[in-house]
């Protein structure tokens, strides 16, 4: 199987890179330089017209969207146990929390990091203020869930949801109220950060913060 990942340091490609290493999948990594706008180069746009990362090529098939790629990798490697069996109650919870990442957390982060996009330069402060409220409310919901049903998002079972959540927790590290402010979230993150595969991702991508 030929696997090629296009990503960039500290972006949504991190979770895909992490899972490739966690699952022991041999792959080729292409790190795009966003400062040089390599994600908008003609060569990359020919692969992913959206000009975003990650893009994963598996035997030539182009896959985009970090959550979708993560779920697909789990399904391709069921022996790792990172996704519950289809049709089970746990599978329903798995879909719920993956969609929570995609529809609740990620759009709020987008508004925080790119506040000019939804309402223009004149409304940056208002957009960031609203995004912060949304993110803190969402993380409180996750913290309450972990407190009641942890230690992982699906209880005792480690799953792709935990990898996604950890990446998104990291995105808050420089915000006024990072996820480390919730002890239960900090404890979850610690369990995930202690996994050797994440240390290897950090090494390969040259990341040294939030360790």
């Amino acid at each position: 199987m030929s696997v090629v990942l296009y990503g960039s340091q500290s972006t949504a490609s991190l979770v895909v890179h992490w899972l490739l290493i966690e699952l022991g999948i041999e792959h080729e990594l292409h790190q795009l330089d966003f400062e040089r706008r390599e994600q908008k180069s003609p060569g990359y746009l020919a692969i992913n017209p959206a000009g975003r990362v990650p893009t994963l090529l598996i035997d030539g098939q182009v896959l985009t969207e970090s959550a979708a790629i993560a779920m697909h990798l789990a399904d391709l490697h069921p022996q790792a146990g990172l996704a519950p069996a289809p049709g089970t109650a746990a599978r329903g919870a798995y879909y719920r929390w993956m969609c929570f990442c995609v529809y609740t957390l990620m759009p709020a982060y987008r508004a925080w990091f790119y506040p000019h996009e939804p309402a223009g330069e004149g409304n940056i402060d208002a957009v960031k203020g609203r995004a912060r409220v949304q993110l803190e409310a969402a993380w409180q919901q996750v913290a309450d869930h972990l407190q009641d049903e942890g230690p992982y998002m699906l209880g005792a079972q480690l799953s792709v949801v935990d990898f996604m959540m950890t990446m998104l927790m990291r995105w808050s590290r420089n915000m006024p109220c990072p996820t480390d402010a919730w002890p239960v979230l900090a404890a979850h993150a610690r369990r995930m950060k202690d996994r050797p595969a994440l240390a290897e991702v950090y090494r390969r991508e040259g990341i040294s913060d939030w360790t």
Side-chain angles (χ1 to χ4, degrees):
M1 183 169 64
S2 171
V3 180
V4 180
L5 172 62
Y6 291 86
S8 188
Q9 185 190 73
S10 295
T11 64
S13 62
L14 186 146
V15 72
V16 178
H17 193 191
W18 187 3
L19 285 167
L20 289 172
I21 295 172
E22 183 82 25
L23 293 168
I25 301 171
E26 293 292 329
H27 61 280
E28 181 180 342
L29 175 65
H30 291 280
Q31 288 283 74
L32 303 179
D33 187 335
F34 276 26
E35 290 188 3
R36 296 173 57 190
R37 293 184 61 78
E38 289 180 349
Q39 78 277 22
K40 303 298 183 183
S41 67
Y44 185 65
L45 291 174
I47 299 170
N48 182 349
R52 294 185 178 183
V53 294
T55 299
L56 189 69
L57 276 60
I58 300 181
D59 291 336
Q61 181 187 10
V62 176
L63 300 171
T64 63
E65 308 302 332
S66 56
I69 296 171
M71 289 191 290
H72 186 54
L73 289 174
D75 286 346
L76 287 176
H77 298 270
Q79 73 282 356
L82 295 182
T88 62
R91 187 75 172 201
Y94 171 75
Y95 289 139
R96 172 201 175 186
W97 289 112
M98 289 298 288
C99 287
F100 184 88
C101 290
V102 172
Y103 295 125
T104 299
L105 288 168
M106 296 181 87
Y109 273 121
R110 183 82 191 177
W112 173 265
F113 289 119
Y114 302 97
H116 63 285
E117 290 183 346
E121 297 289 342
N123 297 290
I124 284 178
D125 289 344
V127 171
K128 290 191 74 171
R130 182 58 185 160
R132 178 182 174 183
V133 169
Q134 291 174 328
L135 284 164
E136 290 178 13
W139 284 121
Q140 183 63 59
Q141 185 177 344
V142 175
D144 291 343
H145 172 74
L146 283 171
Q147 189 67 50
D148 293 340
E149 301 186 37
Y152 297 110
M153 290 300 296
L154 302 184
Q157 179 185 5
L158 175 71
S159 74
V160 161
V161 179
D162 299 292
F163 291 80
M164 280 291 295
M165 286 289 183
T166 304
M167 179 184 74
L168 296 175
M169 288 180 198
R170 182 176 177 273
W171 288 4
S172 76
R173 66 196 183 280
N174 295 319
M175 292 186 67
C177 186
T179 55
D180 289 344
W182 284 267
V184 69
L185 297 183
H188 179 278
R190 182 74 269 156
R191 280 189 291 274
M192 299 302 292
K193 285 189 279 188
D194 286 344
R195 300 188 72 79
L198 184 58
E200 181 62 15
V201 172
Y202 271 36
R203 186 189 69 79
R204 295 187 191 186
E205 296 195 9
I207 298 171
S208 59
D209 59 5
W210 205 66
T211 58

